[in-house]
Amino acid sequence: MINRPIDKLNIKLKYGTPIIGTHVSLAEHCITEVMGETGFEFVWIDWEHSAMDRRDVQNHLIAARAAGIAAFVRVPWNDPVLVKPILEMGPDGVVFPMIRTAEEARAAVASCLYPPKGIRGYGPRRANNYGAMSGDEYLRQVETSFWKIMQIEHVDAVKNLDEILTVDGVDTIVVGPNDLSGSAGLLTQTRHPEVLALLDEIAEKCRDHKKPFGVSLGFAKETIEDWKRRGCAWIACGGDTGYLYEGAVGTYKNVKEIMNG
């Protein structure tokens, strides 16, 4: 029986079914419930670039469970001190930003695993359903209960990607096009030929290693089509602040046209 949202995503990966999610950066956890109602299959809770605190992150994870969708948390940095409390909240994935070497990827994986495989301290809270799950049951499934996601967003990472992809415990990678373009001296120029070549190289290496990959970006039809062509398995697209702004601007313009017409 499939009980966990991550199991549903794993089945989609197995059969090559696209997985579509979106970003959440505002603290109000009802936003995650709304995203679940729209049909998104996961939310990317962005703890790196937002004003959210750990309580806000946990509330989003609770809302995701209520909505029946998976939830990934991007931590601010590849630091076990930051990762550990997030793991205790029971996310479906942890995104490690700015992974540039295999050594950094190994450190990220180690922070997620208990000894002897890793360095994670034992203290599950929500991760073992507040104790409803026995210790033995929890340990049997803990390594498969969430994705360990390495974010590739620097030219150094592309150079080292073959080694990163062979690190045991790396479940998937995700591309960050904006910071990748910045590391090439072309910040936000994600359709510059030099950047497009880097993105194609990432996809080619992932295919060679049979490692699923995702991408985090906004919405542009041409860009989405490019990632489909590259064989992207999952995509985090758009986000709450953009939806709020676009909806507000659209409403204001429509009402203004009516009232002034």
Side-chain angles (χ1 to χ4, degrees):
M1 180 179 293
I2 301 165
N3 296 316
R4 306 172 303 182
I6 199 63
D7 294 327
K8 298 176 184 178
L9 298 193
N10 285 332
I11 288 175
K12 286 179 177 290
L13 278 185
K14 179 179 178 180
Y15 290 101
T17 306
I19 299 168
I20 304 169
T22 193
H23 303 90
V24 172
S25 60
L26 299 174
E28 177 51 59
H29 51 278
C30 290
I31 294 168
T32 286
E33 277 195 306
V34 173
M35 296 302 104
E37 290 293 331
T38 66
F40 285 116
E41 292 142 334
F42 73 91
V43 291
W44 169 306
I45 303 165
D46 195 358
W47 195 33
E48 181 185 10
H49 290 291
S50 74
M52 280 191 277
D53 60 25
R54 290 192 338 216
R55 183 183 295 272
D56 297 326
V57 172
Q58 179 164 270
N59 284 337
H60 276 296
L61 290 169
I62 291 170
R65 180 180 293 181
I69 60 175
F72 304 158
V73 179
R74 178 164 64 177
V75 293
W77 198 244
N78 183 13
D79 183 339
V81 174
L82 298 173
V83 175
K84 181 164 58 176
I86 298 301
L87 293 174
E88 314 305 20
M89 299 176 193
D92 299 291
V94 177
V95 181
F96 292 88
M98 201 56 73
I99 296 298
R100 295 166 66 168
T101 67
E103 182 180 3
E104 291 176 355
R106 279 190 287 270
V109 171
S111 71
C112 296
L113 302 178
Y114 293 117
K117 294 183 179 180
I119 62 169
R120 180 180 174 185
Y122 189 83
R125 299 292 189 273
R126 187 171 181 271
N128 69 347
N129 293 337
Y130 308 104
M133 187 182 298
S134 71
D136 287 344
E137 181 184 2
Y138 170 68
L139 289 176
R140 278 196 301 271
Q141 60 83 53
V142 65
E143 292 185 21
T144 61
S145 65
F146 61 94
W147 286 354
K148 298 169 284 298
I149 306 165
M150 308 297 127
Q151 188 157 23
I152 304 303
E153 46 187 343
H154 196 280
V155 291
D156 289 348
V158 181
K159 294 174 184 175
N160 297 320
L161 190 54
D162 286 311
E163 291 78 17
I164 292 170
L165 293 172
T166 60
V167 171
D168 189 29
V170 170
D171 295 303
T172 181
I173 69 156
V174 63
V175 183
N178 278 318
D179 281 331
L180 180 61
S181 69
S183 73
L186 299 163
L187 184 60
T188 74
Q189 299 180 55
T190 56
R191 297 201 66 78
H192 188 282
E194 184 178 334
V195 178
L196 291 175
L198 289 169
L199 300 178
D200 288 341
E201 183 178 351
I202 292 170
E204 182 179 357
K205 288 184 176 183
C206 287
R207 289 194 300 268
D208 288 345
H209 288 272
K210 296 181 171 54
K211 183 70 70 174
F213 65 96
V215 63
S216 168
L217 66 156
F219 176 77
K221 187 172 185 294
E222 184 180 16
T223 303
I224 301 298
E225 288 173 344
D226 279 350
W227 284 105
K228 179 182 178 181
R229 171 184 58 78
R230 293 187 183 107
C232 180
W234 60 277
I235 184 167
C237 186
D240 50 6
T241 54
Y243 304 142
L244 180 61
Y245 178 79
E246 291 162 9
V249 167
T251 298
Y252 175 75
K253 286 183 176 179
N254 287 333
V255 173
K256 186 176 181 179
E257 286 177 6
I258 294 168
M259 298 303 291
N260 292 339

